[in-house]
Amino acid sequence: MLGSTHGTLTTDFRARVEACGETPRTAVHSTAAPSAEDAVPLDVSGRPLHSDVPDLDRFFRPESVAVVGASDTEGRPNTGITRQLIAWAERVGARIHPVHPTRASVFGLPCAPSVADLPEQVDLAVLLVADPLPVVEELAETKVKFAVAFASGFAETGDEGAAAQARLSAAVRRSGLRLLGPNTNLNAFEAFREDLDGPSIALITQSGHQGRPVYTLQELGIRLSHWAPTGNEADLETADFISYFAEQPEVGAIACYVEGLKDGRSFLLAADRAARAGVPVVAVKVGRTETGARMAASHTGKLTGADTVVDAAMRQFGVIRVDGLDELQDTAALLARARRPQAEGVVVYSISGGTGAHFSDLATEAGLTLPTLSPAKQQELHQWIPGYLNVANPVDNGGHPVGDWRGRKIIDALLADPSVGVLICPITGPFPPMSDRLAQDLVDAAEASDKLVCVIWGSPVGTEEAYRTTLLGSSRVATFRTFGNCITAVRAYLGHHRFTTGYRSPFEDAPRTPSPSYRKAQALMRPGQQLSEHAAKQLLRAYGIRVPREQLVTSAAAAVRAAGLVGYPVVMKASGPQLGHKTELGLVKIGLTSASQIRDAYRELTDIARYENVPLDGILVCQMVERGVEMVVGVTQDDLFGPTVTVGLGGVLVEVLHDAAVRVPPFGEDQARAMLAELRGHALLEGVRGAPPADVDALVEVVLRVQRMALELGDSLRELDVNPLMVLPRGQGAVALDALAVCR
């Protein structure tokens, strides 16, 4: 009971229920700071290094459930939902309590006028009301652990809805309960098959319908244990469920359909937890295109984030991003059930030379390794395969043996090869009895081996006995319907285990206290302003990043003296807080070798600046550095993830080449080197056309120092652009020839 407020709450509740039309569907982005008692370790930028795993056991397996707004009036949406919830509660062994202010019973069950009048404290309240906010405030008094809000009309509808959702989110934080939704559905209360065994898939979707292909995998014998339809994520979000599922022993893989991330750091902490546990996370993330991003925003009311940053962040923390729902289901199914690979080599075994060659082309192009089998292994295979057929890999058997034991011998011999970790058999169409015997031999061999056996059943019909019973009846054979999905899943499988082997969380090594450089850098920052090149280079110097010898001068005579000290030849550049692209304005002079050239250049640079009305803090006289590879290293602020670090090919063509890699701090040296490996122009660093190899170690060091700057200066550094960073030949370091810094 709620004391003196009970009557008022009941009256309000009756009005809300009577106003409830079709059962609803909505999004919130909570930005409130954690309370002191919820404080967690922070990195030097003030971002959390740890997130708690919500205890969702009582959400998925409650002992008691309240259905607020329950109905048994035929034709009402709430009636169908109430009926489904009663059936679900019976399956999971929960006591269900209908709640309605004007009904004595619903479907024969006693009905209470409010949650406060129930005979016991409930674990979960399902809110079938149009406005969940007042009910959430009531639930806080009754100590309910979890609630689900189906109502729509929140952040997905625009500014007014977003404000309503912000009020709901704040009420949830005050209440102490955890809320799923609003704008969610009944997917969490689906019937899951109990007759399937083995590791399961746990499913997270922001749009319920998009999870249907994964849910129906149960009909193919693949176990599904949980479904979290997160909706607008006013409270519980995708990251919460990833963290929880990663610690459930029955979960072999987590499949996600994500429209927008609520908080970038929370997502990365959850992905990090899954990586440490070795649980693969496979995700479709919409928003690759401008159109997709607009649709996602209109549906969930969230930012989708700059897709290149999202993509890099997922890759950085081992999240496997796929494009289609068919790829999501096939990749998650394989990763959930396959054992750790013993080798990375893939052998292709087919009954057709053309099929083997076609598949091998696609697999190799996708980055899979198809090792050439040893002469001894090929000789062994030729005991059972005619000598004129190619068995080097792909292996062409010319037609799988049907009448004797040779077929199984071939498959066993391939799986016994130490260079082979995966056997893939593409069957482009049924050809009984050959394909029937081949399917059975593959299943028998897979059951006796720890190695992965994949079959592609290319028949568009899919009703054949060999497919429906033999292949799908085995939990040890991964069966696909297309070449592409098989290749995507196998590449993800090998990549996941490669990633998690020896994985160390970057959050463990993230700096928590400022370095000595931070105080120097702080003195250089100018809130809301762009720094001059001279000041930006001082910022780099503060963090130990090498810049050329240079002096800032304000007269032609001083420029001549500076050139003598710097050493000819020199570069002269205008330096001012509003200057960005100096080259286009003619404000850079290179290769100056005499005092007269220095004086002329000084006059010309200052004249151009006056004509262009560009204020200067002086003219830089710089050491000329010519020999090396021009790179760019920078910092930008992402709406979801905060500061990000970019490295790419630099120079004046940086905006044309678009050859760059990005990471979200914190990251270590391994990720810095991985960034370089992603560049299309990576070969330039190795030395081409007689040029010596570049000092990659020095480049990596600059990337890590820029990352430290990004972390320590945090949101106060809106943008940093070191371009070009001249990477000198190996052993000679790297020099920042120009820099732009914008303060927030």
Side-chain angles (χ1 to χ4, degrees):
M1 301 293 289
L2 300 179
S4 61
T5 63
H6 175 238
T8 302
L9 286 170
T10 303
T11 302
D12 291 345
F13 175 57
R14 179 183 293 110
R16 292 192 300 274
V17 172
E18 291 172 351
C20 181
E22 181 133 350
T23 303
R25 295 189 46 141
T26 323
V28 160
H29 188 159
S30 167
T31 57
S35 61
E37 58 269 24
D38 295 329
V40 296
L42 305 177
D43 68 14
V44 71
S45 72
R47 290 174 171 82
L49 292 169
H50 169 77
S51 63
D52 292 329
V53 180
D55 183 0
L56 296 169
D57 291 348
R58 282 287 176 259
F59 175 83
F60 287 106
R61 290 279 176 176
E63 292 183 355
S64 55
V65 181
V67 182
V68 181
S71 173
D72 57 6
T73 302
E74 290 303 327
R76 295 293 300 274
N78 286 10
T79 300
I81 296 174
T82 304
R83 185 182 288 114
Q84 180 174 338
L85 289 169
I86 291 172
W88 170 78
E90 184 177 349
R91 286 195 304 272
V92 301
R95 298 178 296 278
I96 196 156
H97 301 286
V99 176
H100 196 287
T102 64
R103 296 174 184 268
S105 67
V106 171
F107 287 117
L109 298 171
C111 190
S114 74
V115 175
D117 292 306
L118 293 176
E120 64 175 331
Q121 181 179 320
V122 296
D123 297 322
L124 173 66
V126 181
L127 312 184
L128 309 184
V129 296
D131 182 6
L133 177 58
V135 184
V136 165
E137 293 170 342
E138 178 181 350
L139 295 177
E141 298 293 326
T142 58
K143 307 300 182 185
V144 174
K145 296 181 178 70
F146 296 99
V148 179
F150 295 112
S152 61
F154 289 87
E156 82 281 7
T157 63
D159 292 343
E160 186 175 339
Q165 187 167 310
R167 292 191 293 272
L168 176 63
S169 184
V172 169
R173 287 197 300 273
R174 292 191 301 269
S175 72
L177 64 77
R178 303 306 307 269
L179 176 76
L180 181 71
N183 193 21
T184 185
N185 52 44
L186 284 163
N187 296 144
F189 312 115
E190 297 278 0
F192 300 118
R193 285 181 56 175
E194 301 288 342
D195 59 327
L196 302 175
D197 55 14
S200 71
I201 295 175
L203 178 60
I204 305 168
T205 61
Q206 283 181 292
S207 173
H209 192 67
Q210 293 294 84
R212 284 288 155 194
V214 177
Y215 178 77
T216 55
L217 282 173
Q218 295 175 105
E219 299 307 309
L220 302 182
I222 296 166
R223 184 181 169 207
L224 193 77
S225 57
H226 304 80
W227 190 347
T230 60
N232 284 14
E233 301 186 353
D235 176 36
L236 287 170
E237 58 178 303
T238 296
D240 292 317
F241 289 101
I242 290 175
S243 295
Y244 174 77
F245 291 149
E247 299 199 347
Q248 304 310 302
E250 72 270 30
V251 172
I254 302 168
C256 309
Y257 173 82
V258 181
E259 293 179 344
L261 298 175
K262 180 178 176 181
D263 178 81
R265 177 54 71 97
S266 296
F267 179 80
L268 297 185
L269 288 169
D272 172 70
R273 187 180 296 277
R276 285 186 279 122
V279 177
V281 179
V282 187
V284 169
K285 168 64 177 68
V286 300
R288 285 193 186 276
T289 66
E290 185 179 346
T291 300
R294 282 200 307 269
M295 288 298 293
S298 66
H299 186 53
T300 64
K302 290 189 183 70
L303 292 169
T304 56
D307 191 67
T308 52
V309 178
V310 171
D311 197 61
M314 286 185 167
R315 190 167 57 251
Q316 182 178 338
F317 285 86
V319 177
I320 299 155
R321 189 175 183 184
V322 295
D323 291 322
L325 297 177
D326 56 334
E327 293 176 322
L328 179 66
Q329 64 180 20
D330 282 352
T331 303
L334 173 62
L335 285 163
R337 307 204 307 180
R339 301 172 187 178
R340 180 171 288 275
Q342 300 177 20
E344 292 226 351
V346 174
V347 66
V348 179
Y349 176 64
S350 77
I351 61 176
S352 161
T355 301
H358 182 199
F359 184 85
S360 298
D361 274 353
L362 297 173
T364 303
E365 181 69 22
L368 298 182
T369 300
L370 275 64
T372 300
L373 300 179
S374 68
K377 179 60 66 174
Q378 293 186 50
Q379 185 176 2
E380 180 185 3
L381 293 171
H382 277 309
Q383 296 178 75
W384 312 297
I385 297 175
Y388 60 84
L389 293 174
N390 184 2
V391 295
N393 192 14
V395 175
D396 177 10
N397 62 27
H400 188 74
V402 173
D404 55 39
W405 41 262
R406 288 175 298 153
R408 174 69 188 276
K409 283 282 190 181
I410 296 169
I411 297 169
D412 286 343
L414 292 173
L415 290 172
D417 191 300
S419 70
V420 171
V422 183
L423 183 149
I424 301 177
C425 182
I427 304 173
T428 53
F431 191 63
M434 186 188 302
S435 54
D436 296 355
R437 180 60 183 268
L438 173 56
Q440 189 62 58
D441 284 345
L442 288 164
V443 167
D444 293 343
E447 299 288 351
S449 174
D450 286 335
K451 295 185 178 180
L452 175 61
V453 174
C454 299
V455 176
I456 302 156
W457 190 261
S459 166
V461 180
T463 58
E464 299 84 359
E465 187 74 10
Y467 171 65
R468 299 295 304 181
T469 303
T470 306
L471 293 173
L472 296 183
S474 170
S475 63
R476 295 291 300 125
V477 172
T479 304
F480 301 88
R481 300 303 300 276
T482 67
F483 283 14
N485 280 15
C486 177
I487 290 168
T488 295
V490 171
R491 182 176 57 194
Y493 159 70
L494 295 172
H496 165 72
H497 289 288
R498 191 185 312 123
F499 178 84
T500 55
T501 299
Y503 176 79
R504 177 178 173 82
S505 170
F507 296 110
E508 294 179 11
D509 302 319
R512 301 189 183 197
T513 56
S515 68
S517 302
Y518 175 62
R519 183 170 296 178
K520 299 177 188 176
Q522 263 192 320
L524 297 166
M525 301 297 285
R526 299 290 182 267
Q529 297 181 28
Q530 176 181 308
L531 301 183
S532 68
E533 178 183 339
H534 180 60
K537 284 180 174 176
Q538 287 181 306
L539 196 63
L540 299 182
R541 278 198 191 97
Y543 279 89
I545 297 170
R546 181 178 163 192
V547 300
R549 296 189 303 274
E550 62 183 37
Q551 290 193 17
L552 183 69
V553 299
T554 56
S555 71
V560 173
R561 289 193 298 273
L565 293 172
V566 168
Y568 289 101
V570 298
V571 176
M572 292 180 66
K573 296 189 279 187
S575 176
Q578 296 179 19
L579 276 175
H581 301 290
K582 296 183 285 289
T583 304
E584 286 86 339
L585 295 175
L587 292 173
V588 178
K589 302 295 180 182
I590 64 173
L592 306 176
T593 58
S594 68
S596 62
Q597 288 181 333
I598 297 293
R599 285 189 287 269
D600 290 343
Y602 185 90
R603 284 192 296 271
E604 186 174 349
L605 292 173
T606 53
D607 285 347
I608 292 173
R610 278 193 297 270
Y611 178 78
E612 297 288 347
N613 197 27
V614 175
L616 300 181
D617 57 8
I619 301 295
L620 281 173
V621 181
C622 311
Q623 170 195 9
M624 188 165 175
V625 180
E626 299 182 75
R627 191 177 177 217
V629 179
E630 292 187 338
M631 303 292 292
V632 59
V633 179
V635 175
T636 56
Q637 294 288 337
D638 182 78
D639 290 332
L640 283 170
F641 296 101
T644 64
V645 176
T646 300
V647 64
L649 293 183
V652 295
L653 296 179
V654 62
E655 294 172 352
V656 177
L657 297 174
H658 289 292
D659 189 9
V662 64
R663 290 294 186 274
V664 179
F667 57 86
E669 180 181 336
D670 57 338
Q671 285 291 334
R673 293 186 183 277
M675 292 170 78
L676 303 183
E678 290 174 16
L679 301 176
R680 297 189 304 275
H682 178 261
L684 293 174
L685 295 169
E686 299 170 352
V688 295
R689 294 184 177 273
D695 197 335
V696 172
D697 291 343
L699 173 55
V700 168
E701 182 66 23
V702 170
V703 172
L704 294 175
R705 288 178 182 272
V706 167
Q707 176 194 209
R708 183 68 184 238
M709 185 189 309
L711 282 169
E712 292 190 348
L713 298 179
D715 296 336
S716 63
L717 181 64
R718 194 177 80 191
E719 182 181 353
L720 175 72
D721 189 40
V722 182
N723 181 36
L725 174 75
M726 188 69 80
V727 185
L728 304 175
R730 185 177 294 161
Q732 297 181 31
V735 186
L737 301 188
D738 200 350
L740 179 148
V742 181
C743 306
R744 178 172 283 175

